[in-house]
Amino acid sequence: MMVCMLRVLQSGSVFAARLRKQDWARKLAGLSFRYYSTKTAPQIPGMEYQDAICTLNTLQTNAGALEQVRRERSHPQLQLQAMRGFLERAGLTVEELNHLNIIHVTGTKGKGSTCAFTEQILRSYGFRTGFYSSPHLVQVRERIRINGQPIGKELFTKYFWQVYGRLDETKDAHGGTMPAYFRFLTILAFHVFLQEKVDLAVIEVGIGGAYDCTNIISQPWACGISSLGIDHTQILGDTIEKIAWQKGGIFKPGVPAFTTKQPEHAMTVLKERAKDIGCPLWVCPDLEDYQGDCGPLRLGLAGLHQHSNASLALQLTHVWLQKRCLPDKSFPSTTAENTGSLQAKSFKPSPIMVKGLADTEWPGRNQTLRHGAVTYFLDGAHTMRSMQACVQWFRETAAQHERNATGSVARVLLFNATGERDSAAMLKLLVPCQFDFVVFCPNITEAIASCNADQQNFNVSVENMLTRCLDNERSWYLHHSRRDNTVSQLLIQDTLPMVPEKTADTLVFPCILSALQWITQGRDPVLGDPANRVFTVKPSITAKAAPLCDAAEIHILITGSLHLVGGALKHLDPASSK
């Protein structure tokens, strides 16, 4: 039983060896690494759950295999055929999924928030809800929720081994194949929801729609598409039209679908997809068009971009309730002449809907945490459009906090981006936020793997992650050097020089914990004693922190990756790891 756990624990010493071999310590914020042996690692309570997570992690696709999968995407329809086979091997059928009364949601930005609004509203009506989302922030269990709460460790472990056992027993008869990480979790979610007898399941698409493994669903009760943009181009295509085609793949004949307002070319594709499939497509009104008894609707999630997500959730819940409670007067009409797209009507939200919108929580998205003199602004923005929204939210929210501060405020950016995303372009959007420090680190929660298998990622090597951080640091310098050159060229002799933008010191740390400990300088009691650092900081780097020590408050924006935000929350919200 210890073999799996030891593999996870040993990754800490492997990490240390790699740092020594590559001499990363000289480059990473002047840190020197202290080696810790894992041979005397203590026994960890709840090993059965950890064993399940370690076994789950063996289904992750390594970087080489992932590239092979991308090359084989010329026949993506085979993916759904494979998903059906895995589903049946797990003892489930596509027809059984129809009993889950599913709301299926895709989009580039806001699909998770839309699902959170939708689930909260229907739970507020008293229905027993299932909610499947991705990625998780701290623990895998967050992806599979019953009545808004991640399923417990015991329940996760029980259902995990049921599904894994059935697949493992049948793999020899199927060429030794096992489903990849996300496919397995999707099957597990369906199994959990059926076993727990939920009244409905809100299912968030993983990537795309048409060939995403969640699209094994054949008869959802409603479909939704949140805001579309450019992301996952190697998988979905490099134009908004190609991406819209993929997203519209979740449409089903006769099943009402709703979309937020989209770019013109994307909307054209969605209309064509709806017409070809025979799906009634409705465009959501603005949130301000809904008439409430107490003025404008209040949302539990911050940011103006949440307005379109809330409107989409209202339409999805409304049509679901109509079908559930008034099946003979279903809304909207699903007759053939309504294929294409129509403008959905606003309505007066019920008090339960109003309360559901206000009560919605979705960690890691426009989230603010205050720990004494340190305030954290967390947003997992990882596309250009979501980063634009993040910058707008941060500038407004941070300004409010600064007005209430008792003295000077130091602003710090903690950033990372992964995969194919254009981190340089996202960083350019962040430059006007006027940071005093910009800190980069990989999505590694701490240098020593403290049995936190939930956040193990074998899809990318440690070296690649650290190299990406150094590349991001160079991108930040380039943005500022361009600004400085522009200013110098505009100076006119005998006139007052233009005041340049604030330039920020940059540092690269090898893990999230070391970055947070340096930024907060012992001023956040939740992070523990900074003297217990795994990394020893050189005096020259310690001296740089004087502005952080002198400031009355420290404001930290953590963005660029949901995995980065999740790793930060593991340390900032200890209850999330229990």
Side-chain angles (χ1 to χ4, degrees):
M1 188 170 78
M2 289 296 295
V3 173
C4 179
M5 180 56 63
L6 284 173
R7 183 180 64 251
V8 175
L9 288 170
Q10 287 166 351
S11 64
S13 57
V14 171
F15 181 33
R18 285 174 169 171
L19 283 178
R20 290 195 301 276
K21 181 179 179 182
Q22 297 292 331
D23 198 19
W24 285 105
R26 288 190 300 103
K27 300 178 181 179
L28 303 181
L31 301 172
S32 61
F33 190 84
R34 293 206 304 259
Y35 174 74
Y36 286 78
S37 171
T38 58
K39 293 180 180 178
T40 58
Q43 293 280 348
I44 306 299
M47 282 292 291
E48 289 185 0
Y49 170 74
Q50 287 293 327
D51 273 345
I53 300 302
C54 289
T55 304
L56 172 65
N57 286 344
T58 66
L59 302 177
Q60 291 188 39
T61 310
N62 63 41
L66 188 62
E67 184 58 36
Q68 182 179 356
V69 168
R70 285 171 175 160
R71 289 197 299 268
E72 294 173 350
R73 287 187 179 274
S74 55
H75 301 288
Q77 64 275 13
L78 297 178
Q79 296 175 57
L80 287 181
Q81 294 180 22
M83 180 64 179
R84 182 185 290 268
F86 287 127
L87 193 73
E88 292 174 352
R89 282 171 53 190
L92 303 174
T93 65
V94 172
E95 290 69 32
E96 282 183 278
L97 306 186
N98 297 334
H99 299 307
L100 293 176
N101 308 326
I102 289 169
I103 296 175
H104 200 194
V105 181
T106 189
T108 305
K109 181 168 72 78
K111 62 181 183 292
S113 299
T114 297
C115 289
F117 281 128
T118 301
E119 186 276 334
Q120 177 69 58
I121 291 172
L122 292 174
R123 174 158 44 97
S124 298
Y125 272 96
F127 293 107
R128 182 171 173 80
T129 61
F131 179 11
Y132 178 58
S133 64
S134 61
H136 61 276
L137 292 175
V138 180
Q139 298 195 60
V140 175
R141 304 180 291 114
E142 299 165 24
R143 297 181 183 228
I144 304 173
R145 297 171 180 255
I146 301 291
N147 282 338
Q149 296 299 314
I151 60 173
K153 290 184 177 181
E154 290 185 4
L155 208 60
F156 181 94
T157 303
K158 167 187 167 184
Y159 289 132
F160 173 89
W161 291 117
Q162 287 179 1
V163 173
Y164 187 89
R166 291 169 185 167
L167 289 164
D168 188 59
E169 288 169 1
T170 56
K171 71 179 182 181
D172 290 341
H174 293 82
T177 58
M178 291 287 285
Y181 188 87
F182 185 75
R183 278 181 180 170
F184 180 90
L185 285 172
T186 303
I187 295 169
L188 178 61
F190 290 144
H191 178 66
V192 170
F193 297 153
L194 287 167
Q195 292 296 312
E196 292 296 306
K197 297 180 172 54
V198 299
D199 295 314
L200 71 135
V202 180
I203 305 295
E204 178 189 355
V205 167
I207 295 177
Y211 305 120
D212 184 77
C213 64
T214 65
N215 207 31
I216 197 73
I217 301 162
S218 63
Q219 293 182 28
W221 275 25
C223 298
I225 298 183
S226 64
S227 177
L228 296 183
I230 304 295
D231 195 19
H232 297 295
T233 54
Q234 293 185 16
I235 297 172
L236 305 180
D238 56 1
T239 68
I240 193 69
E241 292 88 350
K242 291 177 182 177
I243 289 172
W245 189 92
Q246 292 281 351
K247 305 290 184 180
I250 70 168
F251 294 157
K252 301 296 185 298
V255 175
F258 297 87
T259 179
T260 60
K261 294 176 181 178
Q262 305 288 0
E264 180 182 355
H265 296 301
M267 186 62 77
T268 298
V269 173
L270 291 180
K271 290 178 181 179
E272 291 173 351
R273 286 286 263 165
K275 185 175 181 179
D276 291 343
I277 293 172
C279 163
L281 177 62
W282 301 75
V283 181
C284 297
D286 294 333
L287 187 65
E288 293 72 24
D289 293 338
Y290 296 86
Q291 301 299 316
D293 289 331
C294 303
L297 296 172
R298 188 173 67 84
L299 306 182
L301 304 183
L304 289 175
H305 59 286
Q306 296 292 357
H307 288 200
S308 62
N309 300 330
S311 176
L312 178 55
L314 285 171
Q315 295 294 331
L316 290 170
T317 54
H318 188 231
V319 72
W320 192 94
L321 288 165
Q322 289 281 352
K323 187 170 183 178
R324 174 72 178 229
C325 304
L326 299 169
D328 296 331
K329 299 179 181 179
S330 60
F331 171 84
S333 170
T334 58
T335 56
E337 62 266 26
N338 279 351
T339 57
S341 70
L342 295 171
Q343 181 64 44
K345 294 180 180 179
S346 60
F347 52 85
K348 182 179 179 180
S350 70
I352 294 177
M353 288 180 171
V354 172
K355 185 176 186 301
L357 291 176
D359 290 347
T360 299
E361 296 179 351
W362 197 223
R365 290 82 170 174
N366 303 128
Q367 181 181 5
T368 303
L369 287 176
R370 179 156 189 160
H371 293 178
V374 183
T375 303
Y376 301 91
F377 304 86
L378 303 104
D379 187 61
H382 54 273
T383 68
M384 289 298 289
R385 291 190 66 187
S386 60
M387 188 58 72
Q388 288 171 339
C390 171
V391 168
Q392 181 181 10
W393 164 73
F394 172 72
R395 295 183 75 171
E396 293 174 357
T397 308
Q400 293 174 0
H401 281 75
E402 287 178 12
R403 283 193 290 269
N404 297 325
T406 57
S408 63
V409 174
R411 275 192 182 185
V412 183
L413 170 65
L414 178 57
F415 180 89
N416 191 40
T418 60
E420 65 196 51
R421 296 179 176 90
D422 190 346
S423 53
M426 287 193 285
L427 285 168
K428 186 175 182 180
L429 294 175
L430 289 158
V431 169
C433 292
Q434 299 285 286
F435 294 105
D436 298 286
F437 292 94
V438 178
V439 178
F440 302 96
C441 69
N443 295 339
I444 300 173
T445 54
E446 50 204 301
I448 297 178
S450 57
C451 304
N452 187 30
D454 291 85
Q455 295 189 331
Q456 292 291 316
N457 182 355
F458 303 121
N459 290 343
V460 61
S461 70
V462 173
E463 287 87 353
N464 286 341
M465 286 191 279
L466 294 171
T467 300
R468 181 69 177 267
C469 291
L470 295 169
D471 289 341
N472 290 338
E473 183 184 35
R474 281 190 287 271
S475 295
W476 184 266
Y477 274 129
L478 285 173
H479 290 317
H480 274 285
S481 64
R482 290 189 189 119
R483 285 175 172 268
D484 293 342
N485 289 339
T486 302
V487 170
S488 62
Q489 292 168 8
L490 291 174
L491 294 180
I492 301 174
Q493 189 174 2
D494 299 328
T495 63
L496 291 173
M498 296 178 65
V499 178
E501 295 265 0
K502 179 190 294 183
T503 57
D505 275 330
T506 62
L507 300 99
V508 179
F509 285 85
C511 69
I512 296 169
L513 179 58
S514 62
L516 289 173
Q517 287 181 329
W518 185 85
I519 294 169
T520 56
Q521 291 294 303
R523 302 176 70 178
D524 183 351
V526 175
L527 289 176
D529 186 355
N532 294 330
R533 289 189 178 101
V534 172
F535 293 90
T536 302
V537 181
K538 289 184 177 180
S540 60
I541 302 302
T542 302
K544 277 191 172 187
L548 298 173
C549 299
D550 296 339
E553 295 184 14
I554 302 173
H555 290 179
I556 308 166
L557 173 62
I558 304 175
T559 191
S561 165
L562 272 170
H563 299 287
L564 172 68
V565 169
L569 283 172
K570 175 185 180 293
H571 298 298
L572 302 176
D573 182 16
S576 64
S577 299
K578 295 180 181 178

